[in-house]
Amino acid sequence: MTKEKNPVWAFFASVKLALFLLIILAVTSVIGTLIPQGQEPGVYVREYGPGLARVFQLLQFDQMYGSWWFVGLLGLFSMNLIVCSLDRIPNVWRLVVQDNLDTDEAKLARSTHHWSQSRSTGVMATAAAVQEAMTAAGWRPQQEGAAGGDGRLFFAQKGRMTRLGVYVVHSSILIIFVGAIIGSLLGYKASVLIAEGAYSDRVFKSSGDNAAVPLGFQVHLDKFTLDLYPTGAPKEFRSDLIVIEDGQEKLRKSIVVNDPLDYGGLTFYQASYQGLPEYRMQLVNTRTGAQKSLDLEPRQQESWAEEGVVVGLLNTAGSGPTTSNLKIWFSDGQGEPQTFWLSQGGPRLLATAKGSYQISYVRQRFATGLQVAKDPGVWYVYTGCILMLVGIYVAFFMSHRRVWVLVRPEGDGSWILAAGNANKNRIGFERDFDTLVAHLSGQDQGGPAAANPDHEA
């Protein structure tokens, strides 16, 4: 049984199957985009009602991209691409490598694009002029004796490898699928919360039992910066991270949303933050210049023993995880203690019986929330995407263009027949062919050719 007669092969080689799968994948992808993925069941019940939530669960619309039927569609589409390519590439390759000088001359006169002209010069002189004209028109002609041995046949082509552009696209899709499979099998998503000044040498998987995954290095949060709008809503949050491995600083980067840190095959994304009930205050003796950093927590006090100063944090006020005001208790052992509200950031001057102190700043400490992704297949995906762009450009914007010029003896002179074709972009090829004809006819007439009635556009 030949390959073409095998019904299984014919099924997978079908272009109709490819179109059907593309439409199904496009529609289901839209559904997967509109329906939030990976949420708790209660979210779907609350958003869509118990009936639709049940349907989503049965059809796995809540985990669609990992569902057996969606993976099955991708597998079927991959098989379709492979079989289509294997089925068609042999014929395409024959067109790429075929000997175009072994061409039936009768077909040249029937080409959509053809042109002819009689010359007063002999065959050899006309052949030399034809070669010069084709070269001047941007072609690299090959030649051999025409059938019958009484003439010359020239052939030139451009873009023969562009016939493979569509198979580059096929390959790119398969490479992207391979990258996705590698990422799914060998990669993971995790998260970690790191307080300012703290280190973490592990992350915790976002799925399953939230198992801890050792990093093999440490991530240190050197500083966290939170910018707010006048309304108090977060404008931007930034984490200054340091990667430390074997006791050496390997990388330092300030990350924000959509500008992650990459190290050791892992990508750390800025995802969230959490305000801590801890505040750092900088206190300065304005007379001596002495200064001290104090770490305060609510309803606790810290001492500056050398100055006899005691500072306590009585209360805080703010919205959400951020604190905007702090109620401070201050005493330097002389006179009555001072109690006041202080806006975060300071400063504030405190006059006492023995001098004055300035709170140069006070700021809340934060912990940064990082999402961590390990995806060893991502470079396959990037490579596939680049190949896809190249393949699409070649497949849709380039073409295989071929021209032949036959020189035959005619009486005491000679006769020229030029013909050509392109597998795509016929309008663009028509311009190329007109340029070739202009050079061929211009040589005989000493200037650009007039429109030739034999040239059929």
Side-chain angles (χ1 to χ4, degrees):
M1 182 180 291
T2 62
K3 181 177 68 177
E4 289 76 9
K5 295 179 180 178
N6 187 308
V8 176
W9 184 274
F11 171 76
F12 282 108
S14 169
V15 174
K16 292 180 180 178
L17 175 63
L19 293 175
F20 172 78
L21 291 173
L22 280 173
I23 293 172
I24 294 298
L25 286 170
V27 171
T28 51
S29 296
V30 170
I31 294 174
T33 302
L34 295 177
I35 298 176
Q37 299 291 295
Q39 301 296 315
E40 294 294 328
V43 174
Y44 299 100
V45 173
R46 186 168 57 252
E47 294 291 330
Y48 302 99
L52 273 180
R54 180 61 178 162
V55 172
F56 291 171
Q57 186 180 25
L58 289 174
L59 298 179
Q60 295 184 296
F61 280 177
D62 55 335
Q63 303 284 345
M64 201 183 71
Y65 299 114
S67 64
W68 64 268
W69 59 266
F70 191 82
V71 174
L73 284 175
L74 294 178
L76 190 59
F77 185 54
S78 300
M79 183 64 72
N80 177 238
L81 287 177
I82 293 171
V83 175
C84 274
S85 299
L86 293 177
D87 190 65
R88 290 166 174 76
I89 278 182
N91 289 332
V92 172
W93 187 248
R94 275 193 289 273
L95 289 173
V96 171
V97 300
Q98 72 178 0
D99 181 8
N100 287 282
L101 288 170
D102 184 17
T103 300
D104 183 359
E105 297 175 5
K107 291 183 178 179
L108 299 182
R110 297 196 298 270
S111 296
T112 302
H113 298 276
H114 69 272
W115 170 90
S116 63
Q117 186 184 58
S118 297
R119 296 283 181 94
S120 59
T121 55
V123 169
M124 297 310 294
T126 301
V130 165
Q131 182 160 13
E132 181 180 348
M134 293 182 72
T135 303
W139 300 89
R140 294 183 178 179
Q142 304 170 292
Q143 65 165 308
E144 67 176 17
D150 55 353
R152 305 297 300 175
L153 178 63
F154 294 83
F155 170 74
Q157 62 182 337
K158 295 179 180 178
R160 62 174 181 162
M161 301 303 289
T162 61
R163 289 184 179 272
L164 301 176
V166 66
Y167 304 104
V168 174
V169 176
H170 288 185
S171 301
S172 69
I173 295 173
L174 295 174
I175 291 173
I176 291 172
F177 286 171
V178 169
I181 293 171
I182 291 175
S184 176
L185 296 178
L186 303 179
Y188 61 81
K189 291 183 178 179
S191 61
V192 65
L193 192 67
I194 307 175
E196 279 185 281
Y199 299 78
S200 180
D201 59 359
R202 64 194 60 197
V203 295
F204 301 90
K205 285 189 176 180
S206 302
S207 59
D209 56 356
N210 302 115
V213 181
L215 294 174
F217 54 86
Q218 291 180 316
V219 179
H220 170 56
L221 176 60
D222 185 49
K223 183 180 179 182
F224 183 85
T225 305
L226 174 64
D227 292 330
L228 301 174
Y229 288 105
T231 59
K235 180 180 181 181
E236 180 187 80
F237 41 104
R238 177 183 298 272
S239 297
D240 297 338
L241 301 178
I242 301 175
V243 176
I244 300 172
E245 187 172 11
D246 298 329
Q248 302 291 323
E249 179 179 322
K250 297 294 185 181
L251 180 64
R252 179 186 291 263
K253 183 175 182 181
S254 180
I255 69 169
V256 294
V257 176
N258 295 328
D259 183 18
L261 177 146
D262 294 302
Y263 186 80
L266 298 171
T267 304
F268 296 82
Y269 296 93
Q270 179 69 75
S272 62
Y273 64 92
Q274 180 176 317
L276 301 176
E278 302 172 10
Y279 306 86
R280 171 154 292 187
M281 173 186 291
Q282 185 74 13
L283 194 60
V284 181
N285 185 324
T286 58
R287 183 175 57 82
T288 65
Q291 52 185 296
K292 177 74 171 179
S293 294
L294 301 174
D295 293 326
L296 302 175
E297 295 184 16
R299 292 170 292 282
Q300 293 186 6
Q301 63 182 33
E302 292 290 333
S303 299
W304 184 2
E306 294 83 355
E307 296 284 333
V309 169
V310 179
V311 180
L313 178 57
L314 300 178
N315 202 356
T316 61
S319 60
T322 61
T323 298
S324 56
N325 296 289
L326 303 95
K327 191 173 184 179
I328 302 295
W329 181 89
F330 177 89
S331 174
D332 63 352
Q334 303 292 324
E336 291 294 323
Q338 300 183 43
T339 302
F340 53 90
W341 281 95
L342 176 67
S343 296
Q344 188 174 181
R348 184 183 180 98
L349 187 64
L350 303 171
T352 69
K354 67 178 183 181
S356 64
Y357 294 88
Q358 184 182 45
I359 300 174
S360 59
Y361 72 83
V362 58
R363 61 183 296 272
Q364 184 180 11
R365 292 183 67 221
F366 286 86
T368 185
L370 304 177
Q371 283 190 347
V372 186
K374 180 180 180 181
D375 188 356
V378 67
W379 286 108
Y380 292 90
V381 175
Y382 289 160
T383 302
C385 290
I386 293 172
L387 277 179
M388 181 178 288
L389 292 176
V390 172
I392 288 175
Y393 179 80
V394 171
F396 287 95
F397 298 100
M398 300 182 74
S399 60
H400 184 194
R401 291 157 289 168
R402 298 180 295 180
V403 295
W404 292 264
V405 180
L406 174 64
V407 181
R408 283 285 193 193
E410 184 181 62
D412 295 333
S414 57
W415 175 76
I416 299 174
L417 171 63
N421 61 47
N423 64 331
K424 289 174 293 189
N425 189 15
R426 306 298 172 81
I427 296 176
F429 177 73
E430 184 177 336
R431 289 195 295 268
D432 290 346
F433 192 76
D434 287 344
T435 300
L436 174 62
V437 169
H439 280 82
L440 290 171
S441 58
Q443 283 185 338
D444 191 51
Q445 299 171 5
N452 193 299
D454 289 336
H455 177 202
E456 300 174 7

